[in-house]
Amino acid sequence: MPRFAYAARGADGKSVSGSISAKSSEEAASKLRQKGLSVTELEEKPAFDLAALAAGSVKTQDLVLFTRTFVTMLEAGLPIVQALDILRDQQTNKLFKNALQSIKDSVEQGATLADSMRRQPKVFDDLYCNLVEAGEAGGVLDTVLNRLTVFLEKQAKIVKEVKGAMTYPIISLIIAFVCVATMLVKVIPTFEKMFHDMGRELPGLTVAVINLSHWMQDNLWTVLGSIAAF
């Protein structure tokens, strides 16, 4: 589903910004109005955000560690702002660090934790923010964060297992590619010279293989670069 970046004003006149998922700009604007926001800017975010890629990303494990530490601090009686301040100083991921600073500033200005997190969609997704909002509304934020930690840990474990399961097929494909590339670049040219010296007309399939060998020799580094980038 597309995401839309927005700038708006709340009922108190304060400017807010963030992003929201919707099927269309009209639906996005409607959702924002239902939240009591007056939209001033609304723009669909591109599917591939080069700026976001350059800024880096937050790993699930980083989010797990943050959530676990955050809830421990809250259970120990630390105020939210103080906990965020400590976690920001401990954070090494620049994107995450900046997000925590923005969230801390927003909470200090009177916004809820959930709304502040929603303004950092590169770090906290809708599910995370909605659960935090429910926890705040019900006065059970620590319980919700504990459950979020368990959920994120299970999610990270599944992703790790999937990556592990994909390792063998990927290695097999790489080995197969290396073998085929070696045949095309090293072996086929030798046979081509032999066929040329014999002076015979070659079958169509053989000609196709030789042409593929020529193409591979001319584009080997391009192919390798594409595979490495993928």
Side-chain angles (χ1 to χ4, degrees):
M1 184 178 293
R3 290 191 67 84
F4 294 83
Y6 68 85
R9 290 188 180 278
D12 56 0
K14 291 184 178 180
S15 298
V16 295
S17 61
S19 66
I20 188 171
S21 298
K23 295 179 181 178
S24 64
S25 58
E26 290 79 12
E27 182 178 323
S30 176
K31 286 184 176 181
L32 293 170
R33 284 195 296 270
Q34 290 174 8
K35 293 182 179 182
L37 297 176
S38 177
V39 181
T40 56
E41 293 182 23
L42 186 64
E43 182 180 358
E44 184 175 354
K45 298 177 69 174
F48 180 76
D49 192 341
L50 186 60
L53 182 63
S57 60
V58 175
K59 297 179 180 178
T60 302
Q61 197 57 43
D62 292 336
L63 198 56
V64 169
L65 181 60
F66 162 79
T67 308
R68 185 190 298 118
T69 308
F70 189 36
V71 70
T72 300
M73 290 180 173
L74 295 182
E75 289 176 338
L78 266 69
I80 289 177
V81 171
Q82 186 177 350
L84 289 171
D85 195 36
I86 294 172
L87 289 168
R88 179 209 59 201
D89 292 340
Q90 293 176 347
Q91 188 56 242
T92 56
N93 183 299
K94 185 177 180 181
L95 176 63
F96 208 165
K97 190 183 188 77
N98 292 338
L100 292 178
Q101 178 63 53
S102 298
I103 292 170
K104 171 181 170 291
D105 293 342
S106 180
V107 171
E108 284 182 323
Q109 293 170 9
T112 65
L113 179 61
D115 286 342
S116 302
M117 286 180 167
R118 281 197 179 93
R119 298 171 191 173
Q120 306 299 326
K122 296 175 185 176
V123 179
F124 301 100
D125 60 19
D126 290 338
L127 174 63
Y128 196 107
C129 296
N130 290 339
L131 289 174
V132 169
E133 183 177 34
E136 286 184 296
V140 288
L141 182 59
D142 53 346
T143 302
V144 169
L145 289 175
N146 272 318
R147 292 178 180 175
L148 256 175
T149 302
V150 174
F151 169 77
L152 291 171
E153 286 175 337
K154 289 181 178 179
Q155 185 181 55
K157 183 179 179 181
I158 291 172
V159 171
K160 184 177 180 180
E161 289 175 350
V162 170
K163 287 182 177 179
M166 291 175 61
T167 300
Y168 177 75
I170 290 174
I171 292 176
S172 299
L173 287 173
I174 291 174
I175 293 174
F177 171 79
V178 170
C179 292
V180 172
T182 301
M183 288 283 293
L184 291 173
V185 174
K186 296 293 184 181
V187 179
I188 298 300
T190 302
F191 281 97
E192 180 185 8
K193 186 176 184 303
M194 291 173 54
F195 292 145
H196 183 270
D197 292 341
M198 292 170 61
R200 292 184 179 180
E201 184 177 351
L202 301 177
L205 181 59
T206 304
V207 173
V209 172
I210 291 174
N211 289 336
L212 180 59
S213 172
H214 292 165
W215 181 88
M216 180 62 76
Q217 292 176 63
D218 294 337
N219 299 278
L220 179 61
W221 292 111
T222 301
V223 173
L224 291 176
S226 299
I227 293 174
F230 178 78

